[in-house]
Amino acid sequence: MKYSQVAAALCLFATSMAQPWHSMVAYPDLSTFFGQRIWDSSVWTPNTVTQWPAGTLPASCASQMQARGCSASHVQVYNVTYSDCARPWVFCRCDYAPVSIGRTADIFGRMPVHMRSMVRHPMIVPNPDGQCCCAAPDDGDLMVAGDCPIETFAHEVSHLIDNRGDVFGEDFSSKSTFVNALAADTCSISNYGNTNGRHEEFAEMGVVALYNVNTNLLPAVDSSATTGCFSNQLSAIKTKFGSQFYAYGGTCVNRQPDSLTQPATKRVRVKRENLVGRAGWCRYKQD
Ligand SMILES: [Zn+2]
């Protein structure tokens, strides 16, 4: 895999292997077990897409895109208005990113509106290897590279829920409720969650919660794992966030204000906080 220098730094930060939580893993790769199921059980929300005239863009788009080598003059800006929320989401797309605004808006719109409400600006960023999808918990920006599936979006939004869904800036995954649940369980949810820290275990559990909250189903676990081995974690996340974020229905609530609009000609300075979010950046395998 080839990364740009910047991307390599981000991804290394995120993929430093931590001690595994458990020797048993329920679903080694979540996409294999959940990808099609989540897609099939998701609810598509109609949307309309309107492109901004060239010349201005949200400040955070300018910074995040510039950090990935996409200058402001290459950033397309769109209002995407979903039928369940009067206020549009302002998407940004690098004009040479490998996925369209329409497809990304459709997949984003397959998440419950309360998950979408945690996101400030969805951004379709360039990334040659197409695998570095990230969330910035401090401000709610969501960066997707390549043609990311719905479970990747759900994983990234779950980082935002972890960081801001309980008390702003206090990761729920670091609190005793989740720490104790993970310790009481006999498995981790996935290989990625097992070896990349509690916030990744939580984000992977968020994908499972999205599916289970809305279907009351779970796929059979891997043959090396025991049914129900992650039940304490699932119960904890459903009790705390299930109806508040992971269930379909309702309308947008508690959305953050958009990042300030600035001219595309304004010089962009990439700050450290544009590169490393408080809960860390993550790399999520799409396949
Ligand atoms: Zn992650």
Side-chain angles (χ1 to χ4, degrees):
M1 280 180 276
K2 291 175 190 152
Y3 297 93
S4 73
Q5 271 193 314
V6 170
L10 298 175
C11 292
L12 277 177
F13 177 83
T15 54
S16 55
M17 298 286 275
Q19 197 71 15
W21 305 117
H22 292 292
S23 58
M24 191 193 295
V25 169
Y27 306 110
D29 179 77
L30 276 196
S31 285
T32 303
F33 289 84
F34 284 89
Q36 191 64 46
R37 286 180 171 88
I38 287 192
W39 180 263
D40 291 344
S41 65
S42 67
V43 179
W44 181 73
T45 309
N47 67 72
T48 55
V49 177
T50 309
Q51 187 168 2
W52 288 21
T56 61
L57 76 170
S60 71
C61 289
S63 302
Q64 297 287 4
M65 291 289 187
Q66 185 69 55
R68 290 163 179 76
C70 185
S71 64
S73 62
H74 281 280
V75 178
Q76 302 166 329
V77 187
Y78 300 88
N79 283 353
V80 180
T81 308
Y82 294 93
S83 61
D84 53 13
C85 182
R87 184 182 146 205
W89 274 264
V90 178
F91 281 57
C92 297
R93 175 180 181 270
C94 186
D95 65 10
Y96 54 85
V99 61
S100 71
I101 179 64
R103 177 164 172 80
T104 306
D106 279 351
I107 296 175
F108 186 72
R110 284 180 177 271
M111 287 190 293
V113 68
H114 293 149
M115 291 181 76
R116 275 178 274 141
S117 294
M118 294 296 278
V119 178
R120 184 173 65 171
H121 295 297
M123 301 183 200
I124 309 164
V125 302
N127 192 332
D129 79 359
Q131 289 196 336
C132 199
C133 297
C134 305
D138 290 10
D139 52 28
D141 288 340
L142 175 71
M143 278 63 69
V144 294
D147 197 3
C148 294
I150 185 172
E151 63 270 24
T152 301
F153 283 77
H155 171 109
E156 300 304 343
V157 172
S158 293
H159 281 310
L160 306 180
I161 292 170
D162 183 24
N163 191 248
R164 307 205 320 261
D166 183 19
V167 178
F168 189 102
E170 295 182 9
D171 291 355
F172 182 75
S173 61
S174 298
K175 294 188 170 176
S176 59
T177 301
F178 190 77
V179 171
N180 293 343
L182 176 56
D185 281 338
T186 55
C187 68
S188 291
I189 197 66
S190 71
N191 286 336
Y192 191 71
N194 197 29
T195 54
N196 288 283
R198 276 194 194 86
H199 62 279
E200 295 299 347
E201 176 76 3
F202 179 94
E204 295 282 83
M205 282 301 311
V207 176
V208 176
L210 171 61
Y211 181 71
N212 181 253
V213 162
N214 293 293
T215 65
N216 218 20
L217 298 171
L218 288 169
V221 296
D222 187 66
S223 57
S224 64
T226 308
T227 299
C229 61
F230 55 87
S231 60
N232 292 292
Q233 288 182 81
L234 183 60
S235 174
I237 193 169
K238 283 176 68 174
T239 300
K240 184 72 187 172
F241 299 124
S243 58
Q244 187 182 0
F245 292 110
Y246 289 105
Y248 284 100
T251 186
C252 49
V253 286
N254 298 328
R255 289 185 55 194
Q256 299 177 88
D258 290 339
S259 175
L260 292 178
T261 299
Q262 67 184 40
T265 50
K266 183 175 178 180
R267 186 166 178 273
V268 178
R269 297 175 62 189
V270 177
K271 301 178 200 150
R272 183 178 149 72
E273 59 261 34
N274 297 136
L275 299 175
V276 183
R278 182 175 9 222
W281 287 71
C282 57
R283 169 171 167 265
Y284 185 76
K285 280 171 66 74
Q286 293 178 64
D287 45 22

